[in-house]
Amino acid sequence: MKPPQEVLADYLARQNLKMTAQRRLILDVFLREKNHLSAEELYAKIKTQDPSVGQATVYRTLKLLTEARLAEEVNFADGVLRYEPLYGIEHHDHLICEGCGKNIEIMDPVIERRQEELARKHGFVLSRHKMNLYGLCEKCRKKNKAPKKTTPG
Amino acid sequence: MKPPQEVLADYLARQNLKMTAQRRLILDVFLREKNHLSAEELYAKIKTQDPSVGQATVYRTLKLLTEARLAEEVNFADGVLRYEPLYGIEHHDHLICEGCGKNIEIMDPVIERRQEELARKHGFVLSRHKMNLYGLCEKCRKKNKAPKKTTPG
DNA sequence: ATAGATGCAAATGGTTTGCAGAGCT
DNA sequence: AGCTCTGCAAACCATTTGCATCTAT
């Protein structure tokens, strides 16, 4: 499998775009992350490595990485677009705790297969899907079970 | 089953909020829609009925309807938040054509069950989920199969 | 009477864009 | 050399908020 830098280089070449120091840096920092970063968060990390990089470049490069299939947009419904590395990563979905924000990556072949079948039944051919499951994790359920404190005293 | 107006009235009462002409109107117009409207789109429709209603009120009321479980936010990843009526409507997911934007409501018990199992395995109890399948519908696949036109003449 | 609702307009905040200068190829 | 990139700041645009006024309860 081609290293991600090469994937990007190839994509850029194919599109007649150019490889730059910024793009290399952004890709590097981005891939090092295991969390789902927003553009702003990534921008902050980038700045610690090279304060001269502009925020617009981070936004633009994330779009580029998405097109190059090195990143994927994920939307946790909190108004901010996040990105997750896609390089060498198996497809997965998300199980999100509404209490603490914890986020577990899940993947179920049965669901995947049914999705395809379902789509086919409607004449669709799928290119991708997003599935987010929202609920409460064990810890947060226990936390909430505790009796509500009235103002003490 | 309680009529939606009553559902809203009950919710408002429970929260010590008030029923107003605007809220009634917005609920009415909203429920009459079968499409997934953005706040702006709903605002436009509302204005034809009563031009005096402010846009902020539409935004605020949609949030209210969501809390009252009469509406549900849906996010098709195009930067705009849409709402769909939830009153008396079975839960369903979405199959979206990336070619023409067509949107089919789907629901599969097998997937629903697996989701619960999957969540339980991780110690979660689910409150809700969103699943969007993206692909191309039959028409759009045929359209795209046609050889690319070069500038004619 | 009074807490809450409304409309307006201004503010917000994530994201995009125009532009002049810099950098790849 | 020429087309693309970059950083900056301004622009965008959906959504939210402050406030004076109005209204349901």
Side-chain angles (χ1 to χ4, degrees):
Chain A
M1 203 180 204
K2 278 186 284 193
Q5 291 77 4
E6 204 178 318
V7 173
L8 179 56
D10 285 2
Y11 175 78
L12 293 175
R14 227 174 311 124
Q15 306 288 317
N16 286 313
L17 304 178
K18 291 164 184 172
M19 178 59 86
T20 65
Q22 290 92 329
R23 287 176 179 172
R24 251 188 296 266
L25 173 62
I26 292 171
L27 175 61
D28 263 29
V29 175
F30 176 64
L31 288 182
R32 215 177 338 275
E33 275 304 314
K34 36 195 146 309
N35 299 343
H36 307 79
L37 292 182
S38 66
E40 299 281 357
E41 287 161 349
L42 181 56
Y43 175 51
K45 300 216 177 248
I46 295 288
K47 289 255 277 203
T48 67
Q49 311 261 327
D50 179 351
S52 77
V53 174
Q55 158 191 58
T57 302
V58 175
Y59 275 93
R60 289 190 273 232
T61 303
L62 278 172
K63 286 245 174 304
L64 214 53
L65 295 183
T66 304
E67 289 160 20
R69 312 258 56 215
L70 284 165
E72 184 172 39
E73 301 182 342
V74 291
N75 204 319
F76 290 168
D78 61 350
V80 190
L81 197 53
R82 286 160 210 290
Y83 291 84
E84 72 180 17
L86 202 59
Y87 175 75
I89 304 265
E90 307 264 322
H91 160 74
H92 59 258
D93 295 297
H94 296 278
L95 175 58
I96 300 145
C97 177
E98 292 181 307
C100 60
K102 182 168 56 181
N103 178 326
I104 296 175
E105 297 179 349
I106 54 175
M107 152 67 186
D108 183 79
V110 175
I111 291 180
E112 303 283 320
R113 186 147 7 95
R114 286 297 280 198
Q115 289 172 333
E116 292 291 345
E117 286 169 16
L118 216 50
R120 183 153 12 98
K121 206 187 312 176
H122 290 280
F124 275 62
V125 171
L126 290 187
S127 64
R128 62 201 174 88
H129 70 259
K130 312 240 165 159
M131 183 175 82
N132 289 342
L133 310 183
Y134 300 90
L136 284 175
C137 71
E138 204 155 4
K139 250 184 228 166
C140 287
R141 280 210 311 290
K142 278 179 188 146
K143 214 181 304 166
N144 292 350
K145 225 174 253 172
K148 268 176 207 158
K149 276 183 199 153
T150 50
T151 45
Chain B
M1 203 180 202
K2 278 188 285 192
Q5 290 78 4
E6 203 178 318
V7 173
L8 178 56
D10 285 3
Y11 175 79
L12 293 174
R14 227 176 310 124
Q15 306 287 319
N16 285 314
L17 303 177
K18 292 165 183 169
M19 178 58 88
T20 65
Q22 290 92 330
R23 287 176 178 172
R24 251 188 296 264
L25 173 62
I26 293 171
L27 175 61
D28 264 30
V29 174
F30 176 64
L31 288 182
R32 214 176 339 275
E33 274 306 313
K34 37 196 147 309
N35 299 343
H36 308 80
L37 292 182
S38 67
E40 298 282 358
E41 287 161 348
L42 181 56
Y43 175 51
K45 299 215 179 250
I46 295 288
K47 288 255 277 202
T48 67
Q49 311 263 325
D50 179 352
S52 77
V53 174
Q55 156 191 60
T57 302
V58 175
Y59 275 93
R60 289 190 272 233
T61 302
L62 278 171
K63 286 244 173 305
L64 214 54
L65 295 183
T66 303
E67 290 160 21
R69 311 257 57 218
L70 284 164
E72 185 172 37
E73 300 182 342
V74 292
N75 204 320
F76 291 167
D78 60 350
V80 190
L81 197 53
R82 285 160 211 289
Y83 292 84
E84 72 180 15
L86 202 59
Y87 175 76
I89 304 268
E90 307 265 321
H91 159 74
H92 59 258
D93 295 298
H94 296 276
L95 176 57
I96 300 145
C97 177
E98 292 179 308
C100 60
K102 181 168 58 182
N103 176 328
I104 296 176
E105 298 178 348
I106 54 175
M107 153 67 184
D108 183 79
V110 175
I111 291 181
E112 303 283 321
R113 185 147 8 96
R114 285 297 280 198
Q115 289 172 331
E116 293 291 344
E117 286 169 17
L118 217 50
R120 183 154 12 98
K121 205 187 312 176
H122 289 280
F124 275 62
V125 171
L126 291 187
S127 64
R128 63 201 174 90
H129 70 258
K130 311 240 166 159
M131 183 175 82
N132 290 343
L133 311 183
Y134 299 90
L136 284 177
C137 71
E138 205 156 2
K139 249 184 230 166
C140 287
R141 280 210 310 292
K142 278 181 188 147
K143 215 181 303 167
N144 292 349
K145 224 173 252 172
K148 269 177 208 158
K149 274 184 199 154
T150 52
T151 45

